[in-house]
Amino acid sequence: MSATIINTLLDKTKDFSIEETFVFLSAEYKDKVVFSTSFGQEDQVITDLIEKSEAAIKIFTLDTGRMFQETYDVFHRTQKKYKMPIKVYFPEAKAVEELLEKKGPNSFFESVENRKECCFIRKVVPLKKALAGNDVWITGLRAEQSENRSDLHLFEYDDNFKIIKFNPLLKWSLEEVQKYIDSNNVPQNSLHKKGFVSIGCAPCTRAIAEGEDIRAGRWYWEQSHKECGLHSK
């Protein structure tokens, strides 16, 4: 069933621009299309395109409680520029309190399992709440971001969250993303100019050196697939 839906969407939108696809999706799945932003470069491009398309797409973000101040700064500038509501989802206070009481504030440094536990509480659970009742989830994933994401598709069914996922910037390069930002005066996180490409929670993110993988700055102390559970790839 899901494969049929995905193939139909691919066929119907094959000649559409990103903005036209946003309009189509918002009409096809009325009030059930959401975009998750972390205010990274890709997400800022998508926010700008949503605003230009005037499509009825709900925007939300996950505030883990451990974000960079620079992320809050670009959040604020984005709201001021686009005048669009951005719904915020926080982790459950009790779950965070129990984690810190049991394992302390830096347990994620001790093992991959502990780090994934922290990500689950601070990201995955709030995301499930944000996606509940919706049909289409727009993301800023790009194929070149990591080896894990190289076989993504424009439309796919996320079996973990039971939702259609649309990855409009899938084939874009980082250079194309930056060019769009510069050409359209899109607000961006000031950390991007300091070597931060992929930006998450402050304790879990560092700048990368020239030649390093884009995801090298995320959970930089561990050797893993560098994913937090929001995306299966």
Side-chain angles (χ1 to χ4, degrees):
M1 181 66 175
S2 59
T4 301
I5 294 172
I6 296 304
N7 288 333
T8 299
L9 288 173
L10 287 169
D11 183 62
K12 287 185 175 181
T13 63
K14 62 183 179 181
D15 297 320
F16 288 178
S17 66
I18 294 175
E19 295 101 310
E20 288 170 337
T21 303
F22 286 160
V23 172
F24 167 80
L25 290 173
S26 65
E28 191 81 358
Y29 299 94
K30 188 173 178 58
D31 298 324
K32 292 190 175 183
V33 182
V34 292
F35 165 52
S36 58
T37 179
S38 63
F39 304 102
Q41 289 167 301
E42 294 84 2
D43 292 341
Q44 291 299 92
V45 168
I46 293 173
T47 297
D48 191 79
L49 290 169
I50 289 174
E51 193 269 343
K52 284 182 168 64
S53 74
E54 299 183 349
I57 294 171
K58 296 173 288 187
I59 303 176
F60 72 86
T61 190
L62 308 178
D63 187 338
T64 66
R66 304 204 67 165
M67 311 306 290
F68 285 97
Q69 178 58 43
E70 289 87 347
T71 300
Y72 291 116
D73 291 343
V74 74
F75 180 174
H76 187 74
R77 296 201 309 274
T78 300
Q79 282 187 313
K80 292 291 185 182
K81 178 177 176 66
Y82 298 110
K83 305 291 192 300
M84 294 190 295
I86 300 174
K87 187 171 179 59
V88 182
Y89 288 87
F90 289 96
E92 297 294 332
K94 185 173 177 58
V96 175
E97 289 167 358
E98 290 178 349
L99 176 65
L100 269 62
E101 180 180 345
K102 180 181 178 182
K103 296 185 176 181
N106 295 323
S107 61
F108 45 83
F109 286 125
E110 297 171 356
S111 69
V112 174
E113 291 71 28
N114 277 358
R115 193 269 293 168
K116 288 184 176 180
E117 178 184 27
C118 187
C119 287
F120 183 80
I121 291 170
R122 294 180 183 273
K123 295 182 177 182
V124 179
V125 173
L127 178 63
K128 287 182 178 179
K129 185 187 299 184
L131 295 180
N134 291 293
D135 291 333
V136 180
W137 172 21
I138 299 170
T139 86
L141 296 178
R142 292 186 300 107
E144 73 167 23
Q145 285 172 328
S146 71
E147 185 178 344
N148 303 326
R149 299 175 178 181
S150 61
D151 60 347
L152 290 171
H153 302 284
L154 193 64
F155 282 100
E156 44 191 13
Y157 186 76
D158 190 306
D159 199 52
N160 187 28
F161 294 103
K162 311 300 181 187
I163 195 168
I164 297 165
K165 186 183 286 186
F166 176 44
N167 309 308
L169 303 188
L170 181 67
K171 299 300 183 182
W172 285 40
S173 67
L174 182 59
E175 290 72 24
E176 287 174 310
V177 171
Q178 187 63 64
K179 182 178 179 181
Y180 184 96
I181 287 172
D182 293 340
S183 300
N184 292 276
N185 195 30
V186 176
Q188 70 171 323
N189 195 318
S190 61
L191 290 174
H192 290 306
K193 299 295 186 181
K194 299 177 181 179
F196 291 78
V197 181
S198 177
I199 302 171
C201 293
C204 302
T205 309
R206 67 162 173 80
I208 64 172
E210 186 175 351
E212 277 193 299
D213 182 81
I214 288 174
R215 300 283 286 179
R218 300 295 294 277
W219 310 294
Y220 50 87
W221 62 89
E222 65 180 51
Q223 299 299 314
S224 72
H225 290 300
K226 302 296 181 79
E227 298 289 356
C228 61
L230 299 186
H231 304 285
S232 58
K233 295 178 181 179

